[in-house]
Amino acid sequence: MEKIVLPEIENLHLIDTYVANGGYDTAKSALAKSSDEIIDIVKKSGLRGRGGAAFSTGLKWSFIPKGSGITKYLCINGDESEPGSFKDRQVFEFNPHQLIEGIVITCHAIHAKKAYLYIRGEYHKWIKLMQKALDDAYERGFVGEAMKAKYGTDFSCDIYIHKGAGAYICGEESSLMNSIEGKRGYPRVKPPFPAQVGLWGAPTIINNVETIANIPPIIKKGWEWFSAIGEQKHPGTLLFGVSGHVNKPGVYELPSGTLLTDIIYNYAGGVPGNKKIKCVIPGGSSMPPLRGDQLEGIKMDAESLRAAGSAIGTGGIMVMDEDTDLVKVLARLSKFYYHESCGQCTPCREGTGWMVKLLNRIVRGEGSKSDIDLLVSVASNIEGNTVCALGEAAAWPVRFMITRFRDEFEKQVSDHVKLEVKNKVHSMRATLNPLASVEN
Amino acid sequence: MEFKFSVENQEKIERIIQKYPEKQAAVMPLLYLAQEQHGFISVEAMREISQILEMPETDVLGVVTFYSMFHQKEIGKHHIQVCTNVSCMLRGGMQIFDAVKSKLGINNGEVTSDKLFSLEEVECMGSCGTAPMIAVNEDYFENLSTEKAIEILNSLK
Ligand SMILES: Cc1cc2nc3c(=O)[nH]c(=O)nc-3n(C[C@H](O)[C@H](O)[C@H](O)COP(=O)(O)O)c2cc1C
Ligand code: SF4
Ligand code: FES
């Protein structure tokens, strides 16, 4: 199978290798086309965003006001902080120039003179690799003022890397813009959408790293070629990151619609000790978890996963074997969302805190049966009542983990429940258990 | 204690500000510079940055407190970050965290008395496919076992 984003070419991260393989030729041919033409090709290709929401990329670009008279910006989202997601770092490391070429083409398509590539702060190593690639591209005249001469056009754009500083919420597009502007990373209320009012109030397009890395091949080989790969409604390849209980964790670039079981058992080498799978989170930690006994036939693309009761998200597949304590997993996840909530909306700020408390209580063996329903109710009260989708990201795992694995939770509240008994008589009865020897 | 950027950093600041149409956007990169230079971000450093970027000191403070990678207190020479999020947890991340904690004899967020080590339990670092992991300052160590993690600590002077 052909790889689009991470082709298996040795040293492709070096500018010489990239150029020797036809790199930056596509930017030149794209700059000779009108921006409408580019947007049209991307629209027809069916490319959908790889950052989580799987929104049509061409359609998003078409929302931006036309013309070169107004200042516009492009932001490339490399915050990659969703637990279970580790694909964009592969692009930074192994194919940075295809990303840069994609940024140049996108800037031309939307008439943006400046692009900001936002990379999470922990990725020091990958920021350095990306900066090196960018410096090389500038030096050769593929980016910046010199590109006018290089490509023979009157368009030029600059690309800057903006380093995050450890906040998951900054991956949310409006929070990301605030972060670039030098503010706290609070998400903004939408509408207005970034394509109208974005960075410094100017129309802005935000796309994921993998999304933009798909652009050069689409322009080079045409939308017909791209739209025929994988599932028609969500075409192309996806970078599936497989983690957890598998023999060969890692990133696998495969056509959309590849069977989940195929990815887990064939590509990722199956489960250690041939254990059964209890649970799979198919698209990064925010997406509803699936039952291990219901994985048969599930295809990995946006539409199929929605039909299966989950979502494609970032394509990060977390596999948990039969011995996994799902209550502990959920408690840990909830701690993450509690930590990362920006605190702007009450349901998210308070709700995530409540969920952690309740889950920790159950983990400690002090949970009562009513806690389970209370958890679902708290989660349901967050959903739909917040400024940004972190609310859903925090609520979905709780709600769906409990509805799909209720037995796991009931086991823990009934097995080791330690109801605190203040009344002396009752507590004596509980410890002495006068009928312990009576069997029938 | 007064804080001034080094001459070298002052030149860097000039270039950083050029990247953005508005000065305030340079606050995160400048905070990183201050942290690199001084080990942590002091009140004086925030004041200096607020003057350079012509923004209120409280806004600089707001940014510092929002992001977990900006430190307002001294951290160890080796800042040990252990990921315990799910993909790491499934492969022994919690055990590594506990082992590191008892080896260093400090809790999450603390610094050893010789200031050599500090410990932080961190969220997903993007190493789920090479889990479990720890990071020492800026460097990732992946595909670890508890033994390997302790070996790494032993090698740090
Ligand atoms: C809490 C939260 C975190 C997000 N983190 C990321 C991220 O790290 N990277 C990313 O590309 N998109 C992330 N997104 C999605 C972005 O808001 C946005 O939809 C995406 O970057 C658009 O790019 P795309 O259309 O190419 O997918 C996040 C969304 C939310 C609500
Ligand atoms: S939903 Fe949570 S993270 Fe999003 S804006 Fe509200 S409080 Fe902040
Ligand atoms: S969960 Fe530890 S690096 Fe992702």
Side-chain angles (χ1 to χ4, degrees):
Chain A
M1 168 57 216
E2 187 180 3
K3 308 261 201 285
I4 300 173
V5 177
L6 297 173
E8 281 155 354
I9 299 171
E10 216 181 320
N11 288 327
L12 189 60
H13 66 286
L14 301 175
I15 192 159
D16 286 326
T17 319
Y18 188 71
V19 169
N21 283 277
Y24 292 107
D25 286 351
T26 313
K28 185 169 177 151
S29 67
L31 262 58
K33 292 185 169 68
S34 76
S35 53
D36 281 348
E37 243 176 299
I38 305 283
I39 295 179
D40 196 48
I41 295 170
V42 174
K43 232 189 221 172
K44 285 188 179 139
S45 76
L47 175 67
R48 294 168 67 169
R50 307 299 198 229
F55 191 80
S56 160
T57 306
L59 191 60
K60 186 190 276 189
W61 293 3
S62 70
F63 293 151
I64 198 141
K66 301 226 174 296
S68 51
I70 359 165
T71 303
K72 287 176 261 184
Y73 295 105
L74 172 66
C75 296
I76 306 91
N77 193 341
D79 193 47
E80 186 149 85
S81 308
E82 166 107 342
S85 311
F86 47 100
K87 63 187 182 71
D88 295 338
R89 80 178 233 192
Q90 302 293 106
V91 178
F92 300 142
E93 184 163 349
F94 298 108
N95 205 359
H97 288 287
Q98 189 167 316
L99 175 61
I100 296 171
E101 190 171 13
I103 296 173
V104 169
I105 298 171
T106 310
C107 279
H108 165 60
I110 64 166
H111 288 296
K113 301 270 293 168
K114 280 186 194 314
Y116 293 94
L117 169 56
Y118 193 104
I119 306 181
R120 66 177 298 180
E122 293 86 348
Y123 276 2
H124 305 277
K125 173 182 160 186
W126 293 274
I127 290 171
K128 282 191 191 124
L129 293 172
M130 209 48 232
Q131 188 64 56
K132 167 82 174 86
L134 196 54
D135 292 346
D136 289 347
Y138 262 98
E139 202 184 301
R140 300 280 183 97
F142 293 122
V143 186
E145 193 57 27
M147 62 189 265
K148 289 182 179 168
K150 189 88 185 177
Y151 301 127
T153 60
D154 54 5
F155 178 79
S156 75
C157 62
D158 284 299
I159 304 172
Y160 307 103
I161 294 176
H162 190 91
K163 181 180 180 181
Y168 166 64
I169 191 57
C170 288
E172 195 281 335
E173 54 187 23
S174 60
S175 164
L176 181 136
M177 295 190 296
N178 277 343
S179 183
I180 295 176
E181 289 181 14
K183 297 174 184 156
R184 302 170 72 106
Y186 284 143
R188 301 176 182 172
V189 178
K190 284 165 264 183
F193 290 96
Q196 257 70 49
V197 182
L199 206 50
W200 295 291
T204 303
I205 291 294
I206 300 120
N207 274 124
N208 172 255
V209 165
E210 184 189 345
T211 311
I212 296 296
N214 269 290
I215 299 298
I218 291 174
I219 303 298
K220 185 174 182 181
K221 299 186 178 170
W223 62 266
E224 296 91 340
W225 162 78
F226 187 83
S227 64
I229 299 166
E231 288 295 300
Q232 203 193 345
K233 287 190 170 166
H234 187 191
T237 59
L238 297 175
L239 300 181
F240 294 111
V242 193
S243 67
H245 295 140
V246 287
N247 285 313
K248 289 190 288 173
V251 173
Y252 298 93
E253 178 172 4
L254 296 165
S256 68
T258 303
L259 285 174
L260 177 55
T261 46
D262 208 20
I263 298 175
I264 296 174
Y265 290 105
N266 295 339
Y267 292 96
V271 182
N274 274 325
K275 285 187 188 161
K276 282 200 197 112
I277 294 176
K278 185 184 273 181
C279 172
V280 174
I281 300 182
S285 66
S286 308
M287 301 305 143
L290 298 165
R291 283 185 68 93
D293 53 13
Q294 290 171 4
L295 303 179
E296 224 40 68
I298 293 183
K299 291 202 266 181
M300 290 296 288
D301 63 88
E303 305 303 321
S304 311
L305 270 175
R306 187 181 310 162
S310 191
I312 189 75
T314 59
I317 301 168
M318 303 160 101
V319 180
M320 295 164 232
D321 72 19
E322 55 189 324
D323 297 333
T324 311
D325 183 342
L326 291 184
V327 181
K328 271 197 185 137
V329 166
L330 190 62
R332 182 63 189 84
L333 264 189
S334 294
K335 181 176 160 196
F336 167 74
Y337 292 107
Y338 173 57
H339 181 247
E340 301 299 335
S341 166
C342 82
Q344 231 184 161
C345 338
T346 315
C348 172
R349 184 187 61 234
E350 301 298 320
T352 50
W354 271 100
M355 295 195 297
V356 175
K357 273 192 200 141
L358 285 166
L359 282 160
N360 283 341
R361 185 151 92 189
I362 300 177
V363 168
R364 284 197 311 270
E366 293 163 8
S368 64
K369 238 183 166 140
S370 61
D371 286 346
I372 301 177
D373 295 316
L374 188 55
L375 271 167
V376 176
S377 142
V378 174
S380 308
N381 279 314
I382 300 176
E383 271 179 66
N385 294 323
T386 58
V387 166
C388 89
L390 188 136
E392 279 77 34
W396 282 354
V398 172
R399 182 155 74 82
F400 288 102
M401 194 69 102
I402 292 177
T403 47
R404 289 175 189 173
F405 298 91
R406 201 177 171 98
D407 48 331
E408 297 274 325
F409 290 81
E410 287 186 336
K411 218 164 49 192
Q412 299 220 12
V413 290
S414 51
D415 277 355
H416 353 253
V417 73
K418 277 189 287 177
L419 281 180
E420 204 177 305
V421 185
K422 297 261 161 62
N423 180 311
K424 207 114 201 246
V425 178
H426 283 262
S427 62
M428 276 176 71
R429 286 183 63 167
T431 41
L432 290 177
N433 196 0
L435 295 181
S437 58
V438 180
E439 274 177 16
N440 295 304
Chain B
M1 202 174 56
E2 210 196 342
F3 178 90
K4 279 275 168 241
F5 279 108
S6 64
V7 179
E8 196 197 349
N9 278 342
Q10 281 174 17
E11 283 163 14
K12 278 191 195 163
I13 290 170
E14 290 294 310
R15 279 189 309 243
I16 291 169
I17 292 176
Q18 298 301 318
K19 289 164 61 173
Y20 307 97
E22 286 179 20
K23 273 187 166 181
Q24 180 177 345
V27 65
M28 286 171 70
L30 261 58
L31 286 167
Y32 270 124
L33 279 185
Q35 186 160 283
E36 259 168 48
Q37 184 178 315
H38 193 62
F40 67 101
I41 296 165
S42 62
V43 176
E44 291 77 11
M46 286 188 254
R47 187 166 303 144
E48 177 71 8
I49 290 173
S50 87
Q51 270 156 19
I52 295 172
L53 299 180
E54 294 161 20
M55 62 189 278
E57 258 174 68
T58 47
D59 288 359
V60 180
L61 177 66
V63 171
V64 172
T65 54
F66 190 84
Y67 297 95
S68 65
M69 288 175 71
F70 295 135
H71 302 288
Q72 281 185 271
K73 280 188 301 199
E74 217 169 333
I75 55 172
K77 180 180 170 202
H78 306 291
H79 186 53
I80 314 294
Q81 302 140 76
V82 186
C83 174
T84 59
N85 211 309
V86 173
S87 301
C88 284
M89 172 184 165
L90 294 172
R91 299 177 79 95
M94 296 268 189
Q95 284 84 333
I96 292 183
F97 180 69
D98 287 340
V100 170
K101 205 161 74 168
S102 59
K103 165 89 190 166
L104 297 179
I106 51 174
N107 284 317
N108 188 26
E110 292 179 352
V111 188
T112 55
S113 52
D114 59 5
K115 303 214 166 121
L116 209 49
F117 295 99
S118 47
L119 175 62
E120 189 181 352
E121 181 183 9
V122 290
E123 297 299 351
C124 177
M125 297 282 272
S127 292
C128 327
T130 38
M133 70 87 70
I134 70 170
V136 181
N137 299 334
E138 301 192 346
D139 299 320
Y140 279 31
F141 297 87
E142 305 176 303
N143 290 313
L144 295 182
S145 58
T146 305
E147 295 72 37
K148 275 196 234 163
I150 297 300
E151 257 172 54
I152 293 166
L153 293 190
N154 284 334
S155 73
L156 298 171
K157 296 271 145 47

